[in-house]
Amino acid sequence: MIRYKILAAVFSVIVAVAEEFSLLKSESPSPQVEEQWLTINEPIRPEPILLPTLTVSASVYHPEPHQTDSTPFITADGSRINRKDPGKHRWLAVSRNLHARWGGDLEFGDSLWVTGISDDMDGLYIVRDVMNRRFRNQVDILVSRKDRVMGFWKNVGIAKFEQNHRSTAVAVTN
């Protein structure tokens, strides 16, 4: 007999819960919503733009006194180089004939797209330093000793990016 009473109590609790959550009601008070599928189109990808480039030579340098000056962790524009991982900045130095202070078209803080070195080294860099006056038409990429990158590359292309994401030609003045 107790079993029937427990079973009846459990059944009445289930019915009460079902009514509370409107599981047994024929009509729900919420309005019927038509199902609509939202179509998402692929984003429009613009055609690749061929950037006007300047052909220069490229090399790498480490922030060490014999490759820079007496303050190897401070660039010519006053930026401080991360001592633990200098290469993470993706900064470079340009020869003086390319810099605006000496008649070129590049300024500190300009973004340059560099191509023609390697898949790992090609990409976007920021001008933060200038090279010794004996170098012409050259860029020097800041790397760390642990990067184990050494080399000199000819026919490296650089293209300047402006704030509005348009590229401009970089002219060499002789």
Side-chain angles (χ1 to χ4, degrees):
M1 185 71 149
I2 289 208
R3 288 183 194 166
Y4 292 116
K5 288 183 180 179
I6 292 175
L7 185 61
V10 169
F11 181 76
S12 63
V13 168
I14 291 174
V15 170
V17 169
E19 286 178 355
E20 183 67 26
F21 291 106
S22 68
L23 295 176
L24 297 178
K25 294 181 182 176
S26 61
E27 276 189 40
S28 66
S30 61
Q32 295 294 329
V33 177
E34 285 187 32
E35 195 171 296
Q36 293 180 344
W37 290 92
L38 177 64
T39 57
I40 300 175
N41 298 328
E42 280 289 316
I44 299 172
R45 294 192 176 127
E47 292 297 317
I49 300 170
L50 297 176
L51 302 173
T53 60
L54 173 68
T55 302
V56 297
S57 299
S59 57
V60 296
Y61 77 102
H62 305 100
E64 298 174 354
H66 68 279
Q67 291 188 20
T68 59
D69 59 10
S70 61
T71 58
F73 292 101
I74 301 174
T75 63
D77 72 345
S79 299
R80 297 199 178 267
I81 297 172
N82 181 328
R83 291 176 184 262
K84 293 182 181 179
D85 190 10
K88 81 170 191 168
H89 295 297
R90 295 194 59 93
W91 290 348
L92 57 74
V94 296
S95 57
R96 291 181 185 211
N97 68 305
L98 299 176
H99 197 276
R101 183 173 178 188
W102 291 275
D105 291 331
L106 301 176
E107 297 273 350
F108 291 126
D110 283 349
S111 297
L112 296 182
W113 187 261
V114 178
T115 57
I117 299 174
S118 71
D119 290 339
D120 293 336
M121 298 277 300
D122 288 357
L124 195 62
Y125 289 88
I126 299 173
V127 177
R128 292 285 184 213
D129 216 342
V130 291
M131 300 171 70
N132 189 293
R133 75 186 85 196
R134 71 179 177 265
F135 297 105
R136 294 188 56 76
N137 298 332
Q138 187 172 335
V139 296
D140 213 3
I141 299 172
L142 177 66
V143 296
S144 173
R145 277 275 179 214
K146 69 180 179 180
D147 292 334
R148 299 201 185 275
V149 176
M150 292 299 289
F152 183 82
W153 300 270
K154 293 183 179 181
N155 300 322
V156 173
I158 61 172
K160 179 180 173 183
F161 284 97
E162 292 184 1
Q163 290 290 339
N164 60 5
H165 303 294
R166 291 186 183 154
S167 62
T168 59
V170 179
V172 177
T173 55
N174 292 326

